[in-house]
């Protein structure tokens, strides 16, 4: 017995729709975290901040480093003079402060300085593994 054409056509369409659902939906993938940087104000102490906008839960890490010559001039043992971390539950945006360490602040003031040129490096990773990285050179006033 031969099936009627409308039933055969419906079966073929159901099979194609079940095999290729992603092509039919044409939904764009979620974007990776977006990042921006700036200098912290006097209320938050000397440092920099990282503003991150995520479409899902994400973790943010940042660090502030000085050049090798500046490290020697300030007589510091490490190039990293500040760190900061943050976590965002769900979609939204957050500001993460990356402050200077007290040891670095004392070393700068001891040498008569009132600002320090640094490199701010930050990374944000969302819950689905997408990663964004930001590197900026900023001068932090004390």
């Amino acid at each position: 017995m031969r099936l009627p054409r409308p039933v055969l056509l419906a079966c073929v369409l159901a099979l194609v729709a079940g095999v290729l659902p992603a092509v039919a939906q044409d939904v764009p993938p979620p974007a990776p975290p977006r990042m921006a940087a700036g200098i912290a104000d006097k209320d938050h102490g000397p440092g920099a901040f990282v503003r991150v906008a995520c479409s899902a839960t994400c973790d943010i890490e940042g660090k502030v480093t000085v050049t090798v010559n500046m490290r020697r001039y300030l007589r510091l043992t490490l190039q990293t003079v500040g760190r900061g971390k943050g976590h965002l539950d769900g979609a939204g945006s957050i500001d993460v402060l990356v402050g200077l360490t007290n040891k670095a602040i004392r070393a700068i003031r001891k040498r008569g300085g009132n600002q320090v040129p640094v490199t701010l490096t930050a990374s944000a990773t969302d819950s689905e593994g997408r990663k964004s990285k930001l590197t900026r050179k900023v001068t932090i006033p004390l």
Side-chain angles (χ1 to χ4, degrees):
M1 178 175 169
R2 190 170 168 169
L3 293 174
R5 292 206 186 264
V7 174
L8 182 63
L9 183 63
C11 291
V12 169
L13 289 177
L15 181 66
V16 170
V19 173
L20 303 171
V23 174
Q25 292 177 359
D26 197 24
V27 176
R34 298 174 309 281
M35 303 173 73
I39 298 170
D41 57 1
K42 295 279 185 186
D43 296 335
H44 293 95
F49 72 89
V50 179
R51 177 167 290 157
V52 180
C54 296
S55 58
T57 301
C58 62
D59 293 316
I60 304 102
E61 294 180 355
K63 70 177 181 175
V64 176
T65 57
V66 293
T67 61
V68 174
N69 290 337
M70 183 60 73
R71 181 191 67 83
R72 285 189 192 130
Y73 176 73
L74 296 175
R75 298 179 187 159
L76 295 170
T77 55
L78 298 172
Q79 278 186 270
T80 301
V81 293
R83 290 185 183 277
K85 285 185 178 183
H87 178 76
L88 183 62
D89 289 325
S93 65
I94 186 172
D95 288 341
V96 178
L97 178 67
V98 184
L100 290 178
T101 61
N102 288 332
K103 192 173 185 179
I105 294 169
R106 279 194 306 269
I108 295 163
R109 288 198 174 135
K110 189 175 182 180
R111 305 298 182 281
N114 59 1
Q115 62 185 10
V116 61
V118 297
T119 302
L120 171 66
T121 307
S123 64
T125 307
D126 67 2
S127 58
E128 297 177 11
R130 293 182 298 268
K131 197 169 193 176
S132 291
K133 199 165 187 182
L134 173 79
T135 303
R136 294 279 186 274
K137 291 187 183 287
V138 295
T139 300
I140 298 177
L142 295 183

